[in-house]
Amino acid sequence: MGHDLLKGKKGIIFGALDEKSIAWKVALKAHEEGAQFVLTNTALALRMGTINQLAEACNATIIPSDVTIVEELETLFSESVKTLGGKLDFVLHSVGMSPNVRKKRPYDDLNYDFFMKTLDISGVSLHKVLQTAMKQDAMNEWGSVVALTYMASQRVFPDYSDMAQAKAVLESIVRSFGYQYGVAKKVRVNSISQSPTATTAGTGVGGFDAFFDYAEKMSPLGNASAEECADYCISLFSDYTRKVTMQNLFHDGGFSFTGISSAIMESFKG
């Protein structure tokens, strides 16, 4: 049962593909908490996924948009404001894709055209979203933008490949644009560094299952689930976090600050 944390609030949710998606879970939670919102993804992703089911469950409108194409984002924001009957209060950027990872290119033999696409889709697109929203004055004061990231932006996880650079770009944009948007409109911008999560995109990273188990043993609270990440997103969309901005917030059960755990130590004993 919801608590009306987002009652009367309006938003856009990027990236819901299927029921494994964190964005899918966020949409369900946002609806439960009283929000109205638009769901968006690329036209191809909309055809491949099952987002129509989600839209029906949440009484949401679907507006296709490629997050890397500014003209499509301009249409998305203007149409969303019209559809929802007012300016936006929250945006979720749950977007990430690496052609190099999909094609299993090793990090020391990247295709650089693919690399630039990774940076654009998974990092620079956040700047495009924020710049479009700001130019259109599409968000209310004290609005909230949340982007999903991963701590490979700061530490080495070999199989995460060029996505690590993309997430580093994204987190830098959170800080830089968070300052600009905060001064201009009191809009807050944060990223959530989530535990390894069994989404369609996450499980595409090499060695995911083994690393998921390792992170579970390393984290004093265990890995954070997609549902728990959705709860955290809702808290950042709500009025209870009005003075939280420009932060990269770890939501990983304590993994990020654990040097080594007793469970991992035990696994090395003969």
Side-chain angles (χ1 to χ4, degrees):
M1 178 178 286
H3 300 86
D4 289 337
L5 291 178
L6 303 184
K7 186 176 181 179
K9 293 190 181 296
K10 304 172 175 65
I12 297 175
I13 295 176
F14 286 84
L17 178 66
D18 55 37
E19 61 185 10
K20 294 180 180 179
S21 306
I22 291 175
W24 186 289
K25 310 291 187 185
V26 172
L28 292 175
K29 291 283 185 180
H31 176 65
E32 185 179 308
E33 294 296 341
Q36 296 176 282
F37 48 86
V38 165
L39 296 167
T40 186
N41 213 323
T42 64
L44 176 61
L46 294 180
R47 291 196 298 271
M48 291 174 58
T50 53
I51 196 172
N52 287 324
Q53 297 174 18
L54 178 64
E56 185 175 346
C58 297
N59 193 29
T61 300
I62 302 170
I63 300 178
S65 177
D66 186 326
V67 75
T68 67
I69 300 175
V70 171
E71 291 77 13
E72 292 194 15
L73 288 172
E74 289 172 344
T75 299
L76 169 67
F77 274 91
S78 61
E79 289 299 314
S80 294
V81 170
K82 290 178 186 177
T83 298
L84 296 170
K87 292 184 183 181
L88 308 173
D89 301 290
F90 65 89
V91 173
L92 176 71
H93 181 282
S94 181
V95 180
M97 195 279 286
S98 165
N100 278 306
V101 171
R102 286 194 173 183
K103 299 289 186 180
K104 302 188 185 304
R105 294 291 295 258
Y107 186 72
D108 55 0
D109 186 30
L110 295 181
N111 176 299
Y112 289 117
D113 289 335
F114 289 171
F115 191 6
M116 296 307 293
K117 288 181 181 178
T118 301
L119 294 176
D120 194 15
I121 296 168
S122 309
V124 176
S125 66
L126 177 63
H127 194 286
K128 295 178 180 179
V129 166
L130 292 166
Q131 182 167 289
T132 301
M134 191 170 179
K135 283 187 174 181
Q136 290 191 8
D137 192 22
M139 296 197 71
N140 286 315
E141 287 194 350
W142 303 108
S144 175
V145 180
V146 174
L148 298 184
T149 186
Y150 185 58
M151 68 178 299
S153 61
Q154 301 170 36
R155 300 186 187 181
V156 176
F157 294 87
D159 290 326
Y160 206 64
S161 191
D162 57 351
M163 280 291 293
Q165 279 72 63
K167 293 303 187 182
V169 168
L170 180 138
E171 290 171 23
S172 180
I173 291 168
V174 165
R175 292 186 293 272
S176 296
F177 221 118
Y179 173 82
Q180 299 291 340
Y181 224 159
V183 170
K185 291 291 294 186
K186 294 185 172 62
V187 172
R188 55 203 197 272
V189 184
N190 295 287
S191 57
I192 295 175
S193 186
Q194 168 71 359
S195 294
T197 310
T199 62
T200 300
T203 53
V205 176
F208 175 84
D209 290 341
F211 182 66
F212 183 91
D213 292 340
Y214 170 78
E216 179 74 17
K217 290 179 179 178
M218 274 285 287
S219 308
L221 300 182
N223 290 328
S225 68
E227 290 82 0
E228 289 166 332
C229 185
D231 287 336
Y232 198 24
C233 289
I234 297 303
S235 74
L236 290 171
F237 295 155
S238 79
D239 292 334
Y240 288 108
T241 51
R242 278 192 166 196
K243 292 299 175 70
V244 180
T245 194
M246 300 163 60
Q247 303 299 307
N248 180 45
L249 302 162
F250 290 102
H251 187 248
D252 59 10
F255 177 91
S256 50
F257 287 94
T258 303
I260 194 165
S261 68
S262 298
I264 294 296
M265 290 289 288
E266 286 294 323
S267 71
F268 283 106
K269 289 182 179 179

